Coordinates of all heavy atoms in Angstrom, one line a residue:
G34 N -17.0 -32.4 -11.3 CA -17.2 -32.8 -12.7 C -17.3 -31.6 -13.7 O -17.7 -31.9 -14.8
Q45 N -9.5 -17.6 -14.4 CA -9.1 -16.3 -14.9 C -9.6 -15.2 -14.0 O -9.0 -14.1 -14.0 CB -9.6 -16.1 -16.3 CG -8.9 -17.1 -17.3 CD -9.5 -16.9 -18.7 OE1 -10.5 -16.1 -18.9 NE2 -9.0 -17.6 -19.7
F56 N -9.8 -22.3 -4.1 CA -10.2 -22.8 -5.4 C -9.4 -24.2 -5.6 O -10.0 -25.2 -6.0 CB -9.8 -21.9 -6.6 CG -10.2 -22.4 -7.9 CD1 -11.3 -22.0 -8.5 CD2 -9.3 -23.2 -8.6 CE1 -11.7 -22.4 -9.8 CE2 -9.6 -23.6 -9.9 CZ -10.8 -23.3 -10.5
V59 N -10.6 -27.5 -3.6 CA -11.9 -28.2 -3.8 C -11.7 -29.7 -4.1 O -12.2 -30.6 -3.5 CB -12.7 -27.5 -4.9 CG1 -13.9 -28.4 -5.3 CG2 -13.1 -26.1 -4.5
L79 N 11.0 -9.2 -18.7 CA 11.3 -8.0 -19.4 C 11.2 -8.2 -20.9 O 11.3 -7.2 -21.7 CB 12.8 -7.6 -19.1 CG 13.1 -7.4 -17.6 CD1 14.5 -6.8 -17.4 CD2 12.1 -6.4 -17.0
K88 N -4.9 7.2 -22.9 CA -4.5 8.5 -22.4 C -5.5 8.9 -21.3 O -6.7 8.9 -21.5 CB -4.6 9.6 -23.5 CG -4.1 10.9 -23.1 CD -4.0 11.9 -24.3 CE -3.5 13.2 -23.9 NZ -3.4 14.2 -25.1
R94 N -13.5 19.6 -12.4 CA -14.6 20.5 -12.8 C -14.2 21.9 -12.6 O -14.7 22.8 -13.3 CB -15.8 20.1 -12.0 CG -16.4 18.7 -12.3 CD -17.7 18.4 -11.6 NE -18.1 17.1 -11.8 CZ -19.2 16.6 -11.3 NH1 -20.0 17.3 -10.5 NH2 -19.5 15.3 -11.5
I148 N 4.8 -13.9 8.0 CA 3.8 -13.2 8.7 C 4.5 -12.0 9.4 O 5.4 -12.2 10.3 CB 3.1 -14.1 9.8 CG1 2.5 -15.3 9.1 CG2 2.1 -13.4 10.6 CD1 1.8 -16.3 10.0
M172 N -10.5 -12.1 5.7 CA -11.0 -11.0 5.0 C -9.8 -10.2 4.5 O -9.0 -9.7 5.3 CB -11.9 -10.1 5.9 CG -12.3 -8.8 5.2 SD -13.1 -7.6 6.2 CE -14.7 -8.5 6.5
L188 N 11.5 3.0 -1.1 CA 10.6 3.2 0.0 C 9.2 2.6 -0.2 O 8.6 2.2 0.7 CB 10.5 4.7 0.3 CG 11.8 5.5 0.6 CD1 11.5 7.0 0.8 CD2 12.5 4.9 1.8
K189 N 8.8 2.7 -1.5 CA 7.5 2.2 -1.8 C 7.4 2.0 -3.3 O 8.0 2.7 -4.1 CB 6.4 3.2 -1.4 CG 5.0 2.7 -1.5 CD 4.0 3.7 -0.9 CE 2.5 3.2 -1.1 NZ 1.6 4.2 -0.4
M222 N 15.0 2.0 -15.6 CA 14.1 2.8 -15.0 C 14.4 4.3 -15.3 O 15.6 4.6 -15.4 CB 14.0 2.6 -13.5 CG 13.6 1.2 -13.1 SD 13.1 1.1 -11.4 CE 11.4 1.7 -11.5
K223 N 13.4 5.1 -15.4 CA 13.6 6.5 -15.8 C 13.1 7.4 -14.6 O 12.0 7.1 -14.1 CB 12.8 6.8 -17.1 CG 13.3 6.0 -18.2 CD 12.5 6.2 -19.5 CE 13.0 5.3 -20.6 NZ 12.2 5.6 -21.9
Q262 N -0.5 18.4 -12.3 CA -1.1 18.8 -11.0 C -2.6 18.4 -11.1 O -3.3 18.7 -12.0 CB -0.9 20.3 -10.7 CG -1.6 20.6 -9.3 CD -1.5 22.1 -9.1 OE1 -0.8 22.8 -9.8 NE2 -2.1 22.6 -8.0
P299 N 16.0 12.9 5.5 CA 14.5 13.1 5.4 C 13.7 11.9 5.8 O 12.6 12.0 6.1 CB 14.3 13.4 3.9 CG 15.5 12.7 3.3 CD 16.6 12.8 4.2
K302 N 16.4 6.8 10.4 CA 15.9 6.4 11.7 C 16.0 7.5 12.8 O 15.5 7.3 13.9 CB 16.7 5.1 12.1 CG 18.2 5.4 12.3 CD 18.9 4.1 12.7 CE 20.4 4.3 12.8 NZ 21.1 3.1 13.2
V307 N 6.6 12.2 16.0 CA 5.3 12.7 15.6 C 4.6 13.2 16.8 O 4.5 12.6 17.9 CB 4.5 11.5 15.0 CG1 3.1 12.0 14.6 CG2 5.3 11.0 13.8
L333 N -7.5 4.2 11.0 CA -6.6 4.4 9.9 C -5.3 3.8 10.3 O -4.7 4.1 11.3 CB -6.5 5.9 9.7 CG -5.4 6.3 8.6 CD1 -5.7 5.7 7.3 CD2 -5.4 7.9 8.5
L348 N -13.1 -5.9 13.6 CA -11.9 -6.3 14.4 C -12.4 -6.5 15.8 O -12.6 -5.5 16.6 CB -10.8 -5.3 14.4 CG -9.9 -5.4 13.2 CD1 -9.0 -4.1 13.1 CD2 -9.0 -6.6 13.3
N355 N -11.7 5.7 15.8 CA -11.3 7.1 15.7 C -9.9 7.3 16.0 O -9.5 8.2 16.7 CB -12.2 7.9 16.5 CG -12.2 9.4 16.2 OD1 -11.9 9.7 15.0 ND2 -12.4 10.3 17.1
P397 N -0.8 -12.6 18.4 CA -1.4 -13.9 18.1 C -2.5 -14.2 19.2 O -2.2 -14.2 20.4 CB -0.2 -14.8 18.2 CG 1.0 -14.0 18.0 CD 0.6 -12.6 18.6

Side-chain angles (χ1 to χ4, degrees):
Q45 294 175 357
F56 181 96
V59 172
L79 305 183
K88 189 174 181 179
R94 298 185 185 180
I148 301 178
M172 174 186 293
L188 302 176
K189 186 174 181 179
M222 302 199 74
K223 299 176 181 179
Q262 182 183 352
K302 62 182 179 180
V307 179
L333 174 57
L348 279 167
N355 198 26

